Amino acid sequence: MRPSLRLTFAATALVATLAATGCMNGPRLVTPEPPPIPEPAGDVPAANKAVLEPGTQVVADTAAGHIKIEAGPGLRRVFDWDGLRRGAIVKPREELFAGESSKGLYFDGKPTVWKPADGITKLRYEEGYRDFDNIDDAMIWMQIRRLYYTYNDNGLAIGWRRKGDTLQVELWQFTIDGEKPTFLPDSNSDHIAKGPLKAEPQKMYPHLVFADGHTEPYNTNTASEYSGAHAGGTTSHCNWFKNLFGQCTTTSADTLDSTADSNAAAETSATASTGAAPADTSSASGLATNGEAASSAADDNTQSDADTGAPRAKIAGDVVNIRSRPTTHSDVLLQVKAGDSVAILKKDRGWRYVKLDDGRKGWVADFLLKHQE
């Protein structure tokens, strides 16, 4: 065989080997699609009574963290917790559940369309109306159930927790002797609200996918280590030939580091907004941690006062807390009343950073705002 042909075959074999092993391009940078949500299926039968009507949602902050339940169409329920979002087609009860005043909805098992969520693969859900002879009975019932409940004076209550591989959620409308209450002891009306549906897909973050199929998180460390990582199977700064002979520039690494820093910051922000982290003891006693104080100061320093033209809203709750950070575990800076006007300076998932007319600023849950056109 002529030398030129041998060289051609050798080069072809080398290219094939590089392509097969992934050395040709290195790990791929992939941002996955949000997890699927089941298609609507069926309607709530006339014999059953749901707490949520189609096209509505309930949002609550409990001791277990932040949770949102989206209703409909039909029997679909979508749950948003810990920055995760999953859905299921719930079932109408055929018989009254213990203590129910009417047949409600439930689910117990593994939903058909449910991608594992940080180890959570199953759902146990209850939704319905419960009638009590008196208020004391309602309070005792919530203590016996051993869930972290948040409820308002009108008897709307959410309790939830993570237990092993199961997400347990309960949504109830309490009635006292057949009527909705107007007062319940120790209620947290500013921590729970029902309103129109605002569906927000789960926020997804990029990760590195290697030739053998394993993945690694995409952050500052991995971006520096795998500076040749690229999106969609091609690299914009370093092709496989230059990489093979050490002729790559450092531009791609710099770009990846910058992007990784941005993604890490975004992920930290999204985690903080869920309210899932346990309360810090210093914050609970009214003293902000150093990190909170510095971060709050950074918010004020980086936020321009030129808020002319910023969207405006009015406070929807009776008495609403304005907080130092976008989480219920942060300090309460001040309280405002229904109808107070605010300018919305920025947002972080379910929270809004607002400025009052007197110049005071802070974070408030979005469901406690009535947005103006």
Side-chain angles (χ1 to χ4, degrees):
M1 183 182 293
R2 287 182 298 174
S4 58
L5 289 177
R6 284 198 297 269
L7 181 59
T8 300
F9 290 146
T12 302
L14 176 60
V15 170
T17 301
L18 289 170
T21 60
C23 295
M24 188 170 175
N25 288 318
R28 292 181 296 116
L29 185 61
V30 175
T31 301
E33 292 294 324
I37 300 298
E39 295 294 326
D43 294 321
V44 177
N48 295 78
K49 193 171 183 180
V51 176
L52 293 177
E53 302 80 21
T56 64
Q57 68 180 29
V58 61
V59 184
D61 289 307
T62 79
H66 182 83
I67 191 168
K68 179 172 76 168
I69 306 174
E70 304 171 11
L75 292 166
R76 184 172 72 182
R77 294 293 184 267
V78 179
F79 305 90
D80 190 319
W81 81 101
D82 293 350
L84 304 166
R85 187 171 184 263
R86 301 291 188 273
I89 304 300
V90 299
K91 303 175 183 179
R93 285 201 176 276
E94 297 181 357
E95 298 179 358
L96 286 175
F97 186 54
E100 276 188 318
S101 55
S102 58
K103 291 185 290 186
L105 308 175
Y106 79 103
F107 191 95
D108 191 2
K110 187 174 181 179
T112 303
V113 181
W114 185 289
K115 183 179 179 181
D118 285 353
I120 300 294
T121 60
K122 298 177 182 177
L123 171 68
R124 186 175 182 181
Y125 179 63
E126 306 285 352
E127 176 182 338
Y129 280 67
R130 302 190 68 87
D131 190 50
F132 299 92
D133 291 335
N134 52 65
I135 290 177
D136 289 341
D137 287 349
M139 298 297 101
I140 292 172
W141 184 88
M142 281 191 284
Q143 294 175 5
I144 293 174
R145 295 293 287 179
R146 298 181 183 276
L147 291 179
Y148 299 110
Y149 283 94
T150 289
Y151 55 94
N152 63 16
D153 284 327
N154 298 124
L156 180 65
I158 287 183
W160 76 285
R161 65 176 175 177
R162 316 158 197 82
K163 186 176 181 181
D165 61 355
T166 302
L167 176 68
Q168 296 184 359
V169 185
E170 296 186 7
L171 173 62
W172 300 106
Q173 174 59 61
F174 293 159
T175 57
I176 308 298
D177 197 20
E179 301 292 334
K180 288 184 180 181
T182 57
F183 168 78
L184 288 177
D186 301 321
S187 64
N188 299 107
S189 295
D190 65 337
H191 287 185
I192 180 171
K194 183 168 68 171
L197 176 62
K198 296 180 182 178
E200 299 178 56
Q202 179 178 326
K203 197 168 187 176
M204 305 303 292
Y205 299 96
H207 57 259
L208 297 172
V209 179
F210 291 79
D212 61 3
H214 87 278
T215 64
E216 292 185 16
Y218 179 60
N219 51 40
T220 303
N221 292 334
T222 55
S224 299
E225 183 177 356
Y226 304 107
S227 60
H230 54 279
T234 58
T235 152
S236 47
H237 299 287
C238 179
N239 62 36
W240 72 270
F241 189 85
K242 290 183 178 180
N243 187 57
L244 180 64
F245 292 100
Q247 297 176 355
C248 290
T249 66
T250 59
T251 307
S252 59
D254 295 339
T255 303
L256 287 171
D257 280 341
S258 176
T259 307
D261 288 337
S262 300
N263 288 330
E267 187 166 5
T268 301
S269 176
T271 302
S273 71
T274 64
D280 182 84
T281 53
S282 59
S283 295
S285 64
L287 299 175
T289 62
N290 291 336
E292 280 187 336
S295 182
S296 180
D299 283 336
D300 289 334
N301 291 335
T302 58
Q303 177 60 53
S304 171
D305 286 332
D307 55 335
T308 304
R312 300 193 67 83
K314 289 188 176 181
I315 301 298
D318 293 334
V319 178
V320 173
N321 294 326
I322 304 296
R323 296 182 178 274
S324 61
R325 302 292 300 147
T327 167
T328 55
H329 299 304
S330 61
D331 289 343
V332 176
L333 302 178
L334 61 129
Q335 291 185 323
V336 290
K337 298 180 179 180
D340 287 351
S341 180
V342 297
I344 301 174
L345 303 183
K346 57 184 175 180
K347 61 182 181 179
D348 186 345
R349 284 180 59 85
W351 292 80
R352 300 295 181 265
Y353 189 68
V354 300
K355 178 180 179 181
L356 279 70
D357 291 339
D358 61 8
R360 291 179 296 173
K361 301 174 184 176
W363 290 92
V364 61
D366 183 48
F367 67 84
L368 295 172
L369 296 174
K370 183 178 180 181
H371 295 270
Q372 300 176 355
E373 299 294 337

